[in-house]
Amino acid sequence: MGSDVSQLLFDGAALRVIGSSVDRPKLFVTFDHWRRKRASFPEYRPSKTALNHGFGHIFIQTAQNDWFLNQDTDRLREFLTELCQSKESCSVGFSMGGYGALLFANALRLRRVLLLSPQYSIMPEKAPYEMAYRDEAATLDPALDRVVPLENGQRLQGIIAYDPRLAPQDRLHADHIRALHPDLQPVALPFGGHTALKHLEGTGVTQDIMRAFIEDDISAGAIRGVHGLIGRNSTRYKQRMKAYLDQRRARIPF
């Protein structure tokens, strides 16, 4: 398993794990995210930045937009527990991928995360404020939806970012997640959208943030600063802010 050549490590009908250099003592873990046009499993691209910094890399994939909750969930958790028993891991997760990082945090022995607009749950019983994924939630087994604190007194470190203006439900998800993982630093990024750094797409800045996270050289203040700097020059950001303010003014009587 020591080769930089990618390997299929876990091959389920619903979940897969592909990785590179997974014999290394540290792993960088990435997750699939919700895809509007999903055709089974996505393509694997190894994280060259992680590999160049001495990490192994694994990518956890799902065949459907199912929040990794399916017939392979428990078997994958067992596989990850064995794979990571002598390792420490860090992870970046976007939306559904952020949920995946929390779902498998103990199995992966996660110690640091960068979570961008993750869900605490999409089940109506746990997250009645999350309306966007009701169709998906209706097909899933609530018994598999187990996001819990880290075991053995470990405390998850890192950053959880969200847009409190355009995606207020994401702030509520963050509140519930931080109740389980209180050391996570909340970073409010107004008018970023869902996910909270969406307005950075195409700028290359997102990759810079990923690199800084892998190097353990990132802070909440730095993310806020980049968010504001790029936002001031982003047409999408300005349009979102204007639309929000227009709606707010319309609700406030003169």
Side-chain angles (χ1 to χ4, degrees):
M1 289 188 180
S3 171
D4 283 351
V5 176
S6 61
Q7 297 175 291
L8 180 60
L9 305 170
F10 180 92
D11 187 14
L15 298 173
R16 284 183 183 174
V17 180
I18 301 179
S20 303
S21 298
V22 297
D23 63 330
R24 295 178 177 180
K26 299 185 296 183
L27 286 181
F28 177 58
V29 186
T30 53
F31 286 83
D32 204 351
H33 56 81
W34 188 92
R35 299 171 188 272
R36 189 174 304 278
K37 295 182 179 180
R38 177 176 288 279
S40 191
F41 297 105
E43 180 183 356
Y44 171 67
R45 295 179 181 176
S47 171
K48 294 181 180 179
T49 301
L51 295 173
N52 290 340
H53 281 78
F55 288 81
H57 175 232
I58 62 172
F59 179 38
I60 299 178
Q61 306 173 317
T62 182
Q64 303 294 329
N65 292 321
D66 59 8
W67 274 254
F68 310 93
L69 304 175
N70 51 54
Q71 67 266 35
D72 289 334
T73 301
D74 289 337
R75 192 162 64 92
L76 175 59
R77 185 178 285 108
E78 293 173 1
F79 168 80
L80 294 173
T81 298
E82 182 176 353
L83 176 69
C84 299
Q85 59 184 334
S86 60
K87 303 181 187 298
E88 288 193 356
S89 303
C90 63
S91 180
V92 172
F94 295 75
S95 189
M96 183 178 83
Y99 173 85
L102 297 166
L103 181 69
F104 296 112
N106 279 300
L108 290 166
R109 291 173 56 86
L110 279 184
R111 298 297 179 258
R112 289 191 300 121
V113 291
L114 174 58
L115 305 177
L116 302 168
S117 306
Q119 290 84 38
Y120 163 71
S121 174
I122 64 166
M123 302 299 177
E125 299 80 7
K126 286 187 176 182
Y129 47 82
E130 179 55 78
M131 305 297 294
Y133 307 112
R134 288 293 175 89
D135 289 345
E136 290 90 336
T139 68
L140 304 178
D141 181 359
L144 296 174
D145 180 31
R146 301 195 300 271
V147 172
V148 298
L150 292 189
E151 298 168 348
N152 302 317
Q154 296 290 336
R155 296 174 71 94
L156 190 62
Q157 307 295 316
I159 290 172
I160 181 168
Y162 57 91
D163 178 351
R165 294 289 183 262
L166 302 184
Q169 74 279 8
D170 288 347
R171 179 185 61 79
L172 297 173
H173 283 299
D175 289 346
H176 277 104
I177 291 166
R178 292 189 65 246
L180 299 173
H181 302 289
D183 288 355
L184 292 180
Q185 298 180 63
V187 181
L189 303 175
F191 311 111
H194 182 93
T195 57
L197 296 179
K198 198 169 183 64
H199 67 296
L200 303 185
E201 290 177 353
T203 66
V205 173
T206 302
Q207 292 305 312
D208 292 338
I209 291 174
M210 300 302 108
R211 183 179 299 105
F213 172 76
I214 289 169
E215 295 173 349
D216 199 9
D217 187 28
I218 195 168
S219 68
I223 292 180
R224 289 190 193 97
V226 170
H227 167 78
L229 180 63
I230 299 298
R232 286 193 290 271
N233 295 287
S234 167
T235 300
R236 176 188 291 179
Y237 178 93
K238 292 176 181 177
Q239 289 173 341
R240 286 172 170 171
M241 182 167 60
K242 182 180 183 302
Y244 173 84
L245 293 174
D246 287 346
Q247 291 176 3
R248 183 177 178 181
R249 291 188 191 101
R251 294 195 301 267
I252 299 175
F254 290 98

